């Protein structure tokens, strides 16, 4: 049985509602029997001595919602623990690899997919420090898609420092994505000067553009070059200002809504608890989802469990 009633179940339930919330045996045809059994199993119809009575769908919604949230919580917990459970296998794999060939000091890659794949691997392997200088506007969709990997990097104790230009700190969706990272321990500063785009991983690998476009990059492991790039980054970092001055706190009512959501309350219950209309609560939730980059209400509550403003 699926989580939600199908069209046939919905139609038969509505027929019962139109009949005053009751169904009699003579109201049903032989083809309705499987649908009737499904509605009774869901608790949407309750058997009586003279037929069946319609029950409130809200009870079913609350029960199914709770079951789905429980299942989703278990899946998220499994996802968080998966890297640790695979760590012994990864260690065995690494120890069994043949001796590395002489290091190549630079690798030139073309194409967004190849570049993104190589960077994703470097971030996954990064253990101590990730430095990044990103001039120009920041695409918010890319920041949202990269949020899980950035938070995973921070959770394993890796330092993360990023430079942006003022143009990136003027868009509210970008600021909300920045806030999620700083809330997890990232350091982000804003520098109102031109600077070069670069990424530095554990002070052992650097990524810089190979030309004017964004679809060509050079991956460097030459230590003299990396030391030079780190010196430039640190010089720019000292002249930059903390991004916290660009981040505004959420409205107090929005904070209260967030706290109740983080406790697992539904939108309707939050509205009743705060004495607000559901439409008003929905507006606060929309702002929170934008702030935390959450696609669903459950995802929002999950992300806000450890958030400082929730």
């Amino acid at each position: 049985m699926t989580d939600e009633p199908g069209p046939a179940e919905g139609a038969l339930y509505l027929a019962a509602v139109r009949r005053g919330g009751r169904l009699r045996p003579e109201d049903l045809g032989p083809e309705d029997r499987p649908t009737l059994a499904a509605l009774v199993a869901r608790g949407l119809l309750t058997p009586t001595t003279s037929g069946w009575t319609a029950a409130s769908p809200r009870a079913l919604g609350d029960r199914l919602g709770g079951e789905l949230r429980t299942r989703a919580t278990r899946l998220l917990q499994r996802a968080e623990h998966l890297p640790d459970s695979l760590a012994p296998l990864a260690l065995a794999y690494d120890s069994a690899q043949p001796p590395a060939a002489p290091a190549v000091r630079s690798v030139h890659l073309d194409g967004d997919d190849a570049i993104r794949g190589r960077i994703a691997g470097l971030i996954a392997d990064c253990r101590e420090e990730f430095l990044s200088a990103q001039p120009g506007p920041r695409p918010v969709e890319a920041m949202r898609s990269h949020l899980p990997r950035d938070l995973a990097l921070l959770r394993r104790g890796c330092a993360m420092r990023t430079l942006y230009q003022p143009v990136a700190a003027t868009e509210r969706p970008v600021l909300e994505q920045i806030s999620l990272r700083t809330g997890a321990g990232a350091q982000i500063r804003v520098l109102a000067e031109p600077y070069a785009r670069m990424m530095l991983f554990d002070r052992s690998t650097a990524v810089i553009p190979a030309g004017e476009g964004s679809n060509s990059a050079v991956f460097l492991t030459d230590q003299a070059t990396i030391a030079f790039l780190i010196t430039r980054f640190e010089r720019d970092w000292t002249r930059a200002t903390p991004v916290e001055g660009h981040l505004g706190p959420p409205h107090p009512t929005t904070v209260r809504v967030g706290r109740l959501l983080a406790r697992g309350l539904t939108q309707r219950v939050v509205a009743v608890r705060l004495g607000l209309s559901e439409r008003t609560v929905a507006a606060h939730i929309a702002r929170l989802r934008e702030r935390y980059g959450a696609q669903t209400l459950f995802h929002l509550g999950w992300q806000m469990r450890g958030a400082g403003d929730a």
Side-chain angles (χ1 to χ4, degrees):
M1 182 180 295
T2 60
D3 293 323
E4 301 176 8
E9 294 175 48
L12 187 57
Y13 180 84
L14 292 175
V17 172
R18 287 193 291 268
R19 290 183 171 91
R22 294 179 176 82
L23 278 179
R24 299 171 299 173
E26 55 267 29
D27 297 328
L28 304 171
E31 69 281 1
D32 294 324
R33 294 297 173 178
T35 305
L36 173 67
L39 288 171
V40 171
R42 292 186 189 280
L44 287 173
L45 289 180
T46 303
T48 65
T49 55
S50 60
W52 300 268
T53 301
S56 171
R58 292 190 178 90
L60 174 64
D62 290 343
R63 177 172 60 81
L64 289 179
E67 292 174 357
L68 289 172
R69 284 190 290 271
T70 298
R71 279 155 49 188
T73 299
R74 289 172 180 165
L75 287 173
L76 287 170
Q77 289 173 340
R78 287 176 59 189
E80 288 186 347
H81 295 153
L82 186 59
D84 291 337
S85 66
L86 293 176
L89 301 182
L91 182 61
Y93 174 83
D94 292 340
S95 63
Q97 295 308 299
V104 177
R105 296 195 174 188
S106 68
V107 175
H108 187 129
L109 289 182
D110 292 318
D112 292 341
D113 291 341
I115 294 171
R116 282 197 293 264
R118 186 69 173 266
I119 290 175
L122 288 169
I123 290 179
D125 292 337
C126 191
R127 288 296 179 269
E128 295 181 7
E129 183 182 57
F130 172 45
L131 308 178
S132 177
Q134 301 290 349
R138 304 307 305 147
V140 66
E141 290 304 323
M143 294 187 71
R144 286 173 178 156
S145 66
H146 296 162
L147 180 63
R149 77 178 192 188
D150 290 347
L151 296 182
L153 180 144
L154 292 164
R155 280 197 296 268
R156 61 177 178 262
C158 189
M160 179 178 177
R161 287 190 287 157
T162 305
L163 279 173
Y164 289 139
Q165 287 181 320
V167 65
T170 58
E171 300 181 18
R172 182 172 179 81
V174 173
L175 288 174
E176 290 164 348
Q177 286 296 307
I178 289 174
S179 179
L180 290 174
R181 289 161 171 83
T182 56
Q187 298 181 62
I188 297 177
R189 292 187 179 184
V190 177
L191 179 61
E193 299 176 15
Y195 54 82
R197 187 183 305 276
M198 70 179 77
M199 293 181 180
L200 296 155
F201 300 90
D202 286 338
R203 304 200 170 209
S204 61
T205 304
V207 185
I208 61 173
E212 294 296 329
S214 60
N215 62 345
S216 184
V218 178
F219 294 75
L220 303 164
T221 55
D222 178 72
Q223 290 305 299
T225 304
I226 290 173
F228 171 76
L229 293 174
I230 290 173
T231 299
R232 292 191 62 176
F233 180 91
E234 297 292 358
R235 179 201 63 185
D236 293 336
W237 183 261
T238 58
R239 293 206 295 264
T241 58
V243 76
E244 281 73 15
H246 300 267
L247 301 175
H251 190 277
T253 302
T254 304
V255 173
R256 294 176 65 194
V257 169
R259 286 173 176 160
L260 294 177
L261 289 176
R263 290 166 53 188
L265 276 63
T266 64
Q267 177 177 318
R268 182 166 56 89
V269 174
V270 171
V272 173
R273 183 73 61 87
L274 298 181
L276 303 172
S277 69
E278 286 198 50
R279 179 174 296 182
T280 300
V281 172
H284 286 289
I285 291 174
R287 286 191 284 271
L288 286 168
R289 287 176 61 176
E290 186 68 27
R291 182 179 182 90
Y292 289 93
Q295 299 300 314
T296 65
L297 193 60
F298 173 74
H299 188 205
L300 174 62
W302 174 268
Q303 288 203 9
M304 294 183 65
R305 291 179 310 159
D309 57 10

